[in-house]
Amino acid sequence: MVSDANDYLERTFLSPASMRAIHLTQKWMEDAGLRTWVDQMGNVHGRVDGVNANTEALLVGSHLDTVVDAGKFDGSLGIVSAISALKVMHVHGKLQKLRRPVEVIAFCEEEGVRFQTTFLGSGAIAGILPATTLEISDKRNVTIKEVLKENSIEATEESFLQLKYDAKSVWGYVELHIEQGPVLEQVGFPLGVVKGIAGQTRLKVTVRGSQGHAGTVPMSMRQDPMVAAAEQIVLIESLCKHPEEYLSYDGHCSDSSIKSLSSSLVCTVGEISTWPSASNVIPGQVTYTVDIRAIDDLGREAVIYDLSNRIYQICDKRSVSCLIEHKHDAGAVICDPELSSQLKSAAYSALKKMEGDIQDEVPTLMSGAGHDAMAMSRLTKVGMLFVRCRGGISHSPQEDVLDDDVWAAGLAFLSFLENL
């Protein structure tokens, strides 16, 4: 286990374990016959030119970093599967016969654990991050630029901006990833094609009231931000379970958006804190976060608009104040139909080799989790293949994938490359 911790898996951006993973990945790429290099953000590249080095390249990738106390398949499976498929082609003398260049990229960072900024690796390649990204600091007040320098990578604003790929040189981007959800297991299929990645908004809600003694302030005279926040959180759950009962068919939301929300909208209150957080004190302030995801961007915006209005109404009713801050916003990504069709055919071919006749169609599904493909979609067309994981569990040591499903993923990727 390549980890910074002894008892669990943790590998954050350019940590000692991350650097070991970079060197190991580079060696695997070289063993597969790829030309390799590490760029000035810590991304590991392995490339083969095929029969035409000057045509647009297929980029393939996923991320090397993990969350704290992580599972071992998130990110890594996509990298290992791609390298393994290319190694098979290398062993059989087919690597140089590829019709276009293929480049595997092991992205240095996707999770956002260390610097609270996601897609540092793919975002740099796609050119969506400003040069000021280098000045972002972690909890120890160490900047990204300083961490790079500690690992013998000299990064300047100019070199950072030069990491962006020319869109004209790229044919497309494909990513293989564990599903991180229960759908494939429920339908009994090891592989699935991703039709789109949900857009995401993160809100921070601060509710301020009147701090007071728990024993002396009558219930009728309280301005309690805790109960206001509790009412708001229950509202969030209700609205996101049944958006059709709350949203109106007007300028903010169409019939098609509401139908889409009914099947894709998920909302989570993941953090909550109170001040002064004492058992005998009416809180003076409550802060909580809201994570809102949906495949329909207009629908998601309608949810935020309606939800914000209702949160403010609860605050007015309870004589407390509210502040809603937008902390993150990313639009939904629709995967390219051509790439999706090719991945679907490749998955079907792989499963047919393993199991014989396949009666059911390879499923298509939405991704509620963010992936490097979101950043790469700003550069080129994208496609994704999901692999079934046990119980839909991810970001946990219990994250697991059947050996046969890993084998299916590798065969599917090999089939995809052979039919480029």
Side-chain angles (χ1 to χ4, degrees):
M1 183 169 67
V2 184
S3 175
D4 288 304
N6 293 324
D7 301 324
Y8 55 87
L9 179 56
E10 177 183 350
R11 193 168 58 241
T12 58
F13 177 63
L14 293 191
S15 67
S18 180
M19 294 305 297
R20 294 198 301 274
I22 284 172
H23 297 316
L24 183 60
T25 302
Q26 192 170 12
K27 182 180 182 302
W28 289 341
M29 288 177 172
E30 290 167 355
D31 290 343
L34 308 181
R35 174 171 54 88
T36 70
W37 69 97
V38 179
D39 68 27
Q40 288 182 290
M41 201 63 182
N43 297 312
V44 190
H45 302 250
R47 184 180 177 103
V48 57
D49 288 332
V51 296
N52 189 351
N54 296 318
T55 195
E56 299 96 336
L58 168 69
L59 305 183
V60 182
S62 201
H63 57 98
L64 276 174
D65 69 319
T66 74
V67 296
V68 178
D69 200 17
K72 62 183 179 181
F73 294 96
D74 181 5
S76 298
L77 180 62
I79 298 167
V80 172
S81 296
I83 296 172
S84 299
L86 288 166
K87 185 169 184 177
V88 170
M89 298 188 77
H90 177 54
V91 169
H92 290 88
K94 296 180 179 180
L95 199 58
Q96 300 303 329
K97 297 178 183 178
L98 283 163
R99 288 197 286 262
R100 65 176 64 254
V102 175
E103 184 175 323
V104 181
I105 309 177
F107 294 117
C108 61
E109 195 280 344
E110 183 253 19
E111 299 287 5
V113 173
R114 182 169 183 180
F115 288 94
Q116 300 298 300
T117 301
T118 57
F119 307 135
L120 286 177
S122 53
I125 298 295
I128 62 173
L129 300 178
T132 51
T133 300
L134 292 172
E135 303 305 324
I136 296 174
S137 58
D138 63 13
K139 292 178 180 178
R140 296 186 295 118
N141 209 31
V142 179
T143 66
I144 291 175
K145 186 175 183 179
E146 289 168 341
V147 171
L148 289 165
K149 190 172 183 179
E150 287 174 5
N151 289 284
S152 303
I153 302 174
E154 290 290 341
T156 63
E157 289 191 3
E158 183 180 2
S159 67
F160 178 80
L161 295 175
Q162 287 175 351
L163 290 172
K164 180 184 185 302
Y165 275 37
D166 181 356
K168 295 178 182 177
S169 71
V170 180
W171 178 73
Y173 171 81
V174 169
E175 183 170 357
L176 183 147
H177 204 281
I178 61 169
E179 181 195 350
Q180 299 180 290
V183 176
L184 288 175
E185 189 175 62
Q186 186 178 45
V187 299
F189 239 82
L191 302 174
V193 175
V194 179
K195 62 183 177 182
I197 305 171
Q200 179 184 18
T201 297
R202 291 179 188 171
L203 305 176
K204 178 182 178 182
V205 182
T206 302
V207 187
R208 294 187 178 93
S210 180
Q211 187 173 319
H213 195 292
T216 61
V217 181
M219 297 299 292
S220 61
M221 298 177 66
R222 296 188 178 195
Q223 295 171 289
D224 189 341
M226 179 66 85
V227 290
E231 184 177 347
Q232 291 163 3
I233 292 168
V234 172
L235 164 70
I236 292 166
E237 180 194 37
S238 182
L239 189 154
C240 293
K241 276 186 174 179
H242 308 287
E244 71 282 357
E245 296 179 8
Y246 289 84
L247 304 181
S248 57
Y249 297 88
D250 55 20
H252 292 110
C253 206
S254 66
D255 182 24
S256 61
S257 289
I258 290 179
K259 287 179 180 177
S260 173
L261 288 172
S262 297
S263 61
S264 74
L265 177 64
V266 290
C267 306
T268 304
V269 175
E271 296 179 54
I272 186 165
S273 62
T274 67
W275 179 262
S277 195
S279 62
N280 62 343
V281 179
I282 302 165
Q285 178 175 298
V286 176
T287 302
Y288 63 92
T289 61
V290 189
D291 182 303
I292 302 169
R293 305 188 190 206
I295 198 69
D296 186 294
D297 283 337
L298 289 177
R300 178 168 49 87
E301 290 170 8
V303 168
I304 295 164
Y305 177 84
D306 188 86
L307 189 59
S308 298
N309 285 339
R310 292 176 188 273
I311 286 173
Y312 285 125
Q313 287 171 8
I314 290 171
C315 286
D316 289 344
K317 180 183 71 174
R318 292 187 171 274
S319 299
V320 295
S321 68
C322 282
L323 174 65
I324 302 174
E325 300 174 83
H326 287 242
K327 290 298 186 178
H328 173 72
D329 194 82
V333 171
I334 304 302
C335 291
D336 178 70
E338 179 190 1
L339 281 175
S340 296
S341 177
Q342 289 173 292
L343 287 169
K344 198 169 191 176
S345 296
Y348 182 84
S349 173
L351 295 173
K352 192 173 181 181
K353 284 180 182 178
M354 293 178 65
E355 302 176 10
D357 288 337
I358 304 296
Q359 300 298 322
D360 298 320
E361 188 175 348
V362 175
T364 58
L365 60 164
M366 185 198 79
S367 173
H371 299 286
D372 286 301
M374 293 188 81
M376 296 300 286
S377 71
R378 304 283 290 275
L379 175 71
T380 186
K381 61 185 180 182
V382 300
M384 284 195 73
L385 189 66
F386 269 171
V387 185
R388 174 172 58 188
C389 56
R390 187 180 65 187
I393 296 170
S394 184
H395 285 187
S396 162
Q398 278 71 53
E399 178 182 286
D400 194 24
V401 178
L402 294 172
D403 289 348
D404 281 354
D405 291 0
V406 172
W407 182 245
L411 284 177
F413 212 84
L414 178 61
S415 176
F416 176 78
L417 291 173
E418 289 176 337
N419 290 283
L420 271 180

